[in-house]
Amino acid sequence: MDLKRSGVILCTEQYEACVDFYRRILELPELFSLDDEHSTLTCLRMGGSYLMIETGGRAMPGGRSIEQSPVKLRFNVGDVDAAASLLESRGVRVAIRRETWGTVGDFVDPDGNRCSLRDDGSFLPSLP
């Protein structure tokens, strides 16, 4: 397989709120958006990959448990505490956890999808 790019497609119920969250709150740059008779979607750059937000999902505003959604969107950052403070100043509740393998900050998007900040400095050094 000759993989050219990777990404995540996130089907949402609260489409506009989720687009605003990832674009404005998390500051992911918009690549393109489409709204026609076939699709409503927004594609954002997410590091070296992309996050495509589409309609058609089901919101759980209080957040999903791991049983309800075993997937978590991970955002590696240089400083979890600083990124968490920025998100909290924008109204996002972040729960910081310090583990032996690194620091993480867990939060949810407007649809209740699980997200996490991760200290990139302590990530697997063999990954580019």
Side-chain angles (χ1 to χ4, degrees), residues 10-125:
L10 184 63
C11 295
T12 63
E13 182 175 0
Q14 298 182 63
Y15 172 77
E16 293 294 336
C18 286
V19 169
D20 181 65
F21 179 83
Y22 288 103
R23 186 172 45 202
R24 187 177 58 82
I25 304 293
L26 267 59
E27 300 178 343
L28 300 183
E30 183 173 324
L31 296 170
F32 64 89
S33 62
L34 179 64
D35 188 6
D36 63 20
E37 66 276 5
H38 305 290
S39 303
T40 298
L41 60 89
T42 299
C43 189
L44 307 171
R45 183 183 326 270
M46 188 171 65
S49 62
Y50 63 87
L51 174 64
M52 186 175 292
I53 302 168
E54 297 186 7
T55 58
R58 181 170 175 245
M60 297 187 80
R64 296 173 183 0
S65 68
I66 196 167
E67 292 80 16
Q68 294 165 319
S69 177
V71 175
K72 182 185 286 190
L73 297 177
R74 171 63 58 82
F75 300 94
N76 287 28
V77 296
D79 183 335
V80 171
D81 292 308
S85 291
L86 177 64
L87 291 180
E88 288 176 344
S89 75
R90 295 175 178 174
V92 178
R93 188 178 157 287
V94 180
I96 300 286
R97 289 185 295 118
R98 301 187 194 289
E99 304 287 350
T100 57
W101 44 263
T103 301
V104 295
D106 296 320
F107 59 99
V108 297
D109 74 6
D111 253 22
N113 296 301
R114 300 168 32 187
C115 300
S116 179
L117 302 169
R118 170 71 157 90
D119 182 5
D120 197 53
S122 63
F123 197 62
L124 301 173

